[in-house]
Amino acid sequence: MTRRAPIKDINEDNLVVGKPKTHAAGLTAVVVALDRGIAQAGISRTARSLLRLNQRDGTDCPGCAWPESQGHRKTAEFCENGAKAVAEESTLRTVTPEFWAEHSIAELATKTEYWLGNQGRITHPVVIRPGDTHYSQISWNDAFELIGESIRATTPDRNVFYTSGRTANESAFLYQLFARSIGTNNLPDCSNMCHESSGSALNPTIGIGKGTVSLEDIHRAELIFVVGQNPGTNHPRMLSALADCKDNGGKIVAVNPLPEAGLFNFKDPQTPKGLIGNGTNLADEFLQIKVGADLALFQALGHLLLEEEERVPGSVIDHEFVNANTDGIAAYRAARKNIDWVETEAATGLERAQIEKVAQMMIASKATIICWALGLTQQPHSVNTLKEIINLLLLQGNFGKPGAGACPVRGHSNVQGDRTMGVWEKPKESFLASIDAEFGIESPRKHGLDSVDTVDAFVNNNVDVFVSMGGNFALACSDTELLEGAMQRVGLTVHVSTKPNRSHVMHGRTSLILPTLGRTDTDDKHPNGRQVLSVEDSMSVVRTTQGRLEPVSEHLLAEPVIVARMAIATLGADHVIDWKSMSEDYDLIRDRISRVLPGFADFNARLKTKNGFVLPNPPRDTRSFATDIGKARFTVSPLEYLTPPAGHLILQTMRSHDQYNTTFYGLDDRYRGISNGRRVILINEEDAIEMGFADGAMVDVISTFQGSERRADKFRLVAYPTPRGCVAAYFPEANALMHRELVARESNTPGYKAMSVRFVPHLETASV
Ligand SMILES: Nc1nc2c(c(=O)[nH]1)N[C@H]1C(S)=C(S)[C@@H](COP(=O)(O)OP(=O)(O)OC[C@H]3O[C@@H](n4cnc5c(=O)[nH]c(N)nc54)[C@H](O)[C@@H]3O)O[C@H]1N2
Ligand SMILES: Nc1nc2c(c(=O)[nH]1)N[C@H]1C(S)=C(S)[C@@H](COP(=O)(O)OP(=O)(O)OC[C@H]3O[C@@H](n4cnc5c(=O)[nH]c(N)nc54)[C@H](O)[C@@H]3O)O[C@H]1N2
Ligand SMILES: [Mo]
């Protein structure tokens, strides 16, 4: 059975603006989830895939990285947006060689990501060569030969291997091994654009780049902060965990410029009460902070905690923990002794009394967790903001005890696992030494390019071969127009993909699209039959994932097979590494991983246990901190917040409820009341008036960074409850406005939530 793709693209004139909602999920979530599945894949395929989702022996949801419960699993262990992710992948719509013959690149370049992605799953490998106007079919053998020749024809560091976070552990491990066998550490990944700031803050302060809590801790916390995160849309299953925390008497503080529906009330669609009742109220306190002012807030909280400690010694600081396990508290205490409340209130847009109330909640809590996501990682001073969070957690000893810790909530379903497997442009010496000893290769020691460096390398003509393991680099990164132009000068681009996207259209001089199996597809064309992959979630739990749906085409190859065949075509069949065997039997990859990576001993055996296994986490397991000084570190950062030039506002970019990064499931940002279009700027009405615009005005947006400007045309201003001075737009439309030099210091993560913008009337409107 084939299903026809929608032929209509987005028409922004149809945009509808309604009222933002104050609760998330409920019955609508169930209806939407099933509706999307059935439209894409039909009833039986939808039922088969959804009932296996996040079950033991089932498929790990290709949506977010939130963990599954270790205990009892519900029949439906997924959320609305997980169901949409599955519908998107299990679709019966197909993109065949006929599709590519019918649509030229010139035509595809006029389409939005919505149209491209909705055409369906790619069925055959295709190629486009210099002078061609269309992609056309190529055999797998010829495709791999072309890759091998191109890589061999250039120097190692002119090859770049990008990874998007859906790639499973085994594929990621082989992929980084391939890059290092060639002689490069050019392994940028989506994490560079995402939680890199978290790793940059956590590694030097607590000695591990990952979170320190388990799902059980979320249930048991006395106080949870949800900062810079929109869980109702991006991690909906987190809402059940927050509701459990509330049921156990815990309190929640939400810190966000926007009153996101999922922060306030959750109607759990898994329970009858959630379907028809009033739901669970979540946030006890909502700090509607200005964009980029969290460092000021956390410094103020630190000040208040220390003030209370002065008043009643021993009432706040966990002295035993601090003395035994940390360094630097004296300098931290000195730095936070004084505070300028006038500046703090102006920077944050919060009142002192509100901050004091939250400080009291912290003082009263014996187990606090601070959760965060991109609202904190994509600003110039992000790393310092996150270090300030660590200061607060250290002060009260919130590590290695139940219900306490740091919780960066990761994005892509295996982005954390990919990093564990060595997908990193700055690998540690111990890791390289270990793979060298195991495989008999000599890995390069020079650090490679991250995502931002890669954009620069494109612009400066320093890339000959770009391989993209999933993802959509052209739209995910900054400076869209410049990047798209530069990508087209690369000698060969190789896209290992499931669906068409913009990066395929803005291709290199020669380009290959290699269609691969997704998470939900059965992977059984191997001598020993069906193979199983593994993933690591946001809380360091490693477990299996396997698909059971019949792939839409017999020509799809699994990711480990694609990597192995690229390696053989490049390095030769007699290479010191036996790529072929590993790609036929993934147990062999895991055997090697178990010998290379700490925490993976007996990988194969432990993976087969009921819940998989949890990787070692010294702060959580034993209150030990593997920093260079063997202790956790308090840090001192100067006060810093965003101050746009005169006449400008701060723009943050975010996801709608109906997209997965650059993939648009649909056009309904239900919780924010925006539908049928995406080119909007959410603005405080008083700011709009002050700038001379009415609600609904059409504007062109100009962003400024260090004297240079970028422009994106035709956005609609929508009056919205966002703080003064702060506006919001959707990613990726706003990426055209992003200067690639605007990054977080230390982590080099793009400042996607820190642009300075102003507006001019859009001319069509002005001339009416
Ligand atoms: N359905 C769905 N799920 C997803 C994704 C998806 O696209 N769709 N993407 C996945 C990926 S890769 C990731 S990384 C995660 C992203 O998950 P999120 O981080 O939740 O993603 P964003 O949509 O960028 O939302 C950022 C939130 O931070 C707030 N914010 C912005 N600036 C600030 C600030 O300065 N301070 C504070 N306190 N808050 C701020 C915004 O108002 C918004 O609520 O989600 C993952 N899950
Ligand atoms: N302005 C702005 N820009 C941002 C962000 C932001 O908040 N604001 N967020 C950043 C973040 S957090 C991230 S993670 C990046 C996302 O950047 P990416 O990870 O590069 O982008 P995605 O949109 O997730 O990739 C979608 C593509 O992946 C392919 N795909 C899907 N499933 C599979 C699979 O199973 N295997 C393979 N091989 N391919 C598959 C499909 O072809 C699809 O078109 O964007 C970043 N860009
Ligand atoms: Mo992400």
Side-chain angles (χ1 to χ4, degrees):
M1 179 170 48
T2 51
R3 278 161 188 267
R4 289 199 64 78
I7 33 175
K8 289 216 175 77
D9 208 337
I10 307 174
N11 178 354
E12 292 287 341
D13 292 339
N14 296 335
L15 182 100
V16 178
V17 178
K19 272 216 160 99
K21 304 267 184 303
T22 52
H23 74 262
L27 190 57
T28 319
V30 179
V31 174
V32 173
L34 294 178
D35 181 63
R36 294 292 175 82
I38 291 164
Q40 296 265 8
I43 291 173
S44 78
R45 229 170 131 83
T46 300
R48 245 180 307 152
S49 52
L50 289 186
L51 289 175
R52 299 197 58 78
L53 203 56
N54 293 336
Q55 300 296 336
R56 295 191 178 96
D57 297 329
T59 313
D60 180 63
C61 180
C64 70
W66 189 257
E68 285 75 47
S69 64
Q70 292 290 85
H72 171 72
R73 301 261 166 100
K74 297 167 184 155
T75 322
E77 187 75 34
F78 57 87
C79 65
E80 173 192 345
N81 278 347
K84 286 183 198 163
V86 166
E88 188 73 18
E89 185 176 292
S90 59
T91 186
L92 285 165
R93 297 171 187 159
T94 51
V95 170
T96 58
E98 291 73 46
F99 169 91
W100 299 108
E102 201 178 311
H103 302 281
S104 70
I105 288 296
E107 184 201 342
L108 295 175
T110 66
K111 304 294 190 190
T112 70
E113 207 51 36
Y114 177 59
W115 188 93
L116 289 172
N118 263 299
Q119 301 309 306
R121 289 286 297 271
I122 303 166
T123 59
H124 293 71
V126 289
V127 66
I128 189 162
R129 294 191 167 86
D132 288 355
T133 52
H134 294 69
Y135 275 100
S136 61
Q137 198 177 336
I138 181 172
S139 73
W140 277 108
N141 268 341
D142 290 350
F144 291 124
E145 281 310 313
L146 183 56
I147 296 169
E149 275 164 27
S150 308
I151 294 177
R152 280 196 309 269
T154 185
T155 47
D157 279 339
R158 293 182 65 87
N159 299 292
V160 177
F161 298 89
Y162 174 68
T163 313
S164 166
R166 226 179 250 201
T167 305
N169 289 333
E170 293 75 6
S171 330
F173 186 78
L174 284 192
Y175 190 60
Q176 61 80 29
L177 190 61
F178 172 41
R180 290 181 172 125
S181 299
I182 292 168
T184 182
N185 283 313
N186 287 344
L187 284 156
D189 65 353
C190 70
S191 195
N192 294 144
M193 298 181 254
C194 186
H195 268 288
E196 195 69 56
S197 300
S198 304
S200 298
L202 298 177
N203 271 315
T205 53
I206 61 167
I208 188 169
K210 304 179 180 184
T212 68
V213 303
S214 67
L215 193 53
E216 186 58 24
D217 289 322
I218 300 277
H219 298 156
R220 293 170 68 175
E222 291 183 25
L223 178 63
I224 297 182
F225 282 76
V226 182
V227 194
Q229 202 200 335
N230 180 18
T233 285
N234 297 317
H235 305 92
R237 285 178 302 119
M238 180 177 177
L239 300 186
S240 324
L242 293 176
D244 282 349
C245 170
K246 294 284 304 218
D247 286 347
N248 294 334
K251 293 211 161 20
I252 292 171
V253 174
V255 186
N256 200 304
L258 302 181
E260 309 281 27
L263 300 173
F264 295 99
N265 185 281
F266 172 52
K267 297 188 178 180
D268 187 349
Q270 313 275 359
T271 64
K273 183 175 140 231
L275 287 178
I276 49 173
N278 293 329
T280 308
N281 288 325
L282 295 177
D284 296 275
E285 281 299 321
F286 172 49
L287 299 181
Q288 189 165 19
I289 196 164
K290 289 196 190 224
V291 173
D294 304 82
L295 178 59
L297 168 68
F298 293 122
Q299 290 191 342
L301 288 170
H303 168 80
L304 291 167
L305 260 56
L306 290 169
E307 199 175 61
E308 181 65 14
E309 174 72 20
E310 296 268 307
R311 212 173 60 79
V312 188
S315 64
V316 178
I317 299 181
D318 181 340
H319 289 283
E320 202 187 314
F321 171 82
V322 169
N323 291 340
N325 301 299
T326 73
D327 180 69
I329 189 165
Y332 173 69
R333 287 184 82 154
R336 297 282 78 78
K337 190 161 177 58
N338 300 310
I339 184 171
D340 182 339
W341 277 110
V342 175
E343 188 176 13
T344 300
E345 287 189 320
T348 58
L350 303 170
E351 284 173 15
R352 178 175 176 174
Q354 245 185 318
I355 303 177
E356 285 173 344
K357 194 167 171 198
V358 171
Q360 284 307 320
M361 291 168 80
M362 291 188 85
I363 291 163
S365 164
K366 303 246 161 339
T368 300
I369 291 176
I370 303 184
C371 301
W372 71 87
L374 303 188
L376 292 196
T377 63
Q378 299 177 328
Q379 282 140 0
H381 52 296
S382 282
V383 176
N384 284 352
T385 304
L386 297 170
K387 286 181 176 168
E388 208 63 52
I389 285 184
I390 297 302
N391 287 335
L392 290 178
L393 292 172
L394 289 175
L395 208 55
Q396 293 188 286
N398 279 311
F399 286 97
K401 67 179 183 187
C407 182
V409 183
R410 310 293 301 241
H412 263 298
S413 51
N414 198 42
V415 62
Q416 185 160 318
D418 291 346
R419 212 22 104 69
T420 305
M421 292 298 131
V423 171
W424 197 18
E425 76 285 353
K426 293 192 276 290
K428 289 198 174 134
E429 173 56 31
S430 55
F431 173 79
L432 295 179
S434 186
I435 57 170
D436 286 359
E438 173 67 22
F439 291 99
I441 58 170
E442 232 175 276
S443 299
R445 266 37 186 191
K446 191 179 116 199
H447 286 174
L449 304 175
D450 66 12
S451 292
V452 170
D453 301 333
T454 299
V455 176
D456 268 332
F458 281 151
V459 171
N460 296 318
N461 302 318
N462 287 334
V463 183
D464 290 324
V465 179
F466 176 70
V467 182
S468 191
M469 184 50 70
N472 186 1
F473 198 78
L475 278 193
C477 296
S478 310
D479 262 328
T480 314
E481 203 177 317
L482 201 78
L483 169 58
E484 288 186 348
M487 258 179 98
Q488 294 176 63
R489 298 196 299 271
V490 173
L492 175 69
T493 50
V494 180
H495 310 273
V496 181
S497 308
T498 50
K499 297 226 165 160
N501 66 41
R502 182 79 179 169
S503 300
H504 303 158
V505 180
M506 296 295 135
H507 57 78
R509 286 202 302 272
T510 299
S511 177
L512 289 163
I513 305 175
L514 307 181
T516 188
L517 297 174
R519 286 270 172 85
T520 51
D521 296 320
T522 305
D523 180 7
D524 59 0
K525 285 196 203 137
H526 298 275
N528 299 336
R530 187 148 47 84
Q531 297 296 309
V532 169
L533 291 161
S534 69
V535 288
E536 175 187 341
D537 65 33
S538 209
M539 295 179 182
S540 309
V541 181
V542 179
R543 64 182 197 88
T544 58
T545 176
Q546 54 183 319
R548 291 289 174 86
L549 295 182
E550 190 190 336
V552 289
S553 155
E554 57 179 345
H555 303 286
L556 309 186
L557 291 184
E559 286 177 355
V561 177
I562 293 178
V563 178
R565 290 188 62 182
M566 287 198 287
I568 294 166
T570 308
L571 302 161
D574 53 358
H575 186 245
V576 55
I577 297 174
D578 183 356
W579 301 95
K580 185 161 183 287
S581 305
M582 287 196 284
S583 71
E584 287 173 351
D585 180 351
Y586 303 167
D587 278 359
L588 299 179
I589 310 178
R590 286 184 283 267
D591 282 343
R592 307 304 283 262
I593 293 173
S594 70
R595 294 206 283 271
V596 168
L597 288 173
F600 283 86
D602 292 328
F603 192 0
N604 275 308
R606 284 155 80 212
L607 198 59
K608 292 195 178 88
T609 59
K610 205 169 74 174
N611 288 317
F613 60 96
V614 187
L615 290 173
N617 190 303
R620 174 169 78 193
D621 304 339
T622 54
R623 288 194 144 181
S624 47
F625 301 90
T627 61
D628 52 347
I629 51 168
K631 285 187 169 193
R633 219 186 226 116
F634 281 92
T635 51
V636 173
S637 304
L639 176 59
E640 187 177 344
Y641 47 94
L642 301 170
T643 43
H648 290 70
L649 307 174
I650 298 292
L651 173 71
Q652 63 139 321
T653 57
M654 64 200 181
R655 291 145 175 82
S656 89
H657 190 61
D658 224 358
Q659 77 184 75
Y660 195 90
N661 298 337
T662 69
T663 301
F664 307 159
Y665 299 142
L667 299 175
D668 190 8
D669 193 10
R670 194 168 74 238
Y671 299 149
R672 301 197 187 100
I674 312 281
S675 55
N676 287 342
R678 297 180 44 93
R679 293 183 79 86
V680 290
I681 302 280
L682 309 184
I683 185 168
N684 185 299
E685 193 160 17
E686 288 173 40
D687 280 330
I689 292 168
E690 205 172 283
M691 296 176 107
F693 294 105
D695 183 13
M698 298 304 294
V699 297
D700 296 341
V701 188
I702 297 163
S703 68
T704 305
F705 179 73
Q706 293 182 345
S708 87
E709 296 190 337
R710 303 279 187 274
R711 187 183 178 109
D713 289 348
K714 212 174 173 189
F715 283 77
R716 188 182 311 212
L717 293 183
V718 173
Y720 200 83
T722 170
R724 288 296 303 268
C726 306
V727 290
Y730 295 127
F731 139 64
E733 283 78 358
N735 289 34
L737 294 162
M738 254 311 284
H739 298 249
R740 67 187 189 288
E741 302 87 356
L742 171 54
V743 292
R745 298 188 304 272
E746 295 178 60
S747 64
N748 217 23
T749 298
Y752 292 130
K753 292 177 174 62
M755 289 186 238
S756 296
V757 295
R758 65 176 193 276
F759 309 117
V760 294
H762 179 66
L763 279 181
E764 273 169 25
T765 321
S767 62
V768 173

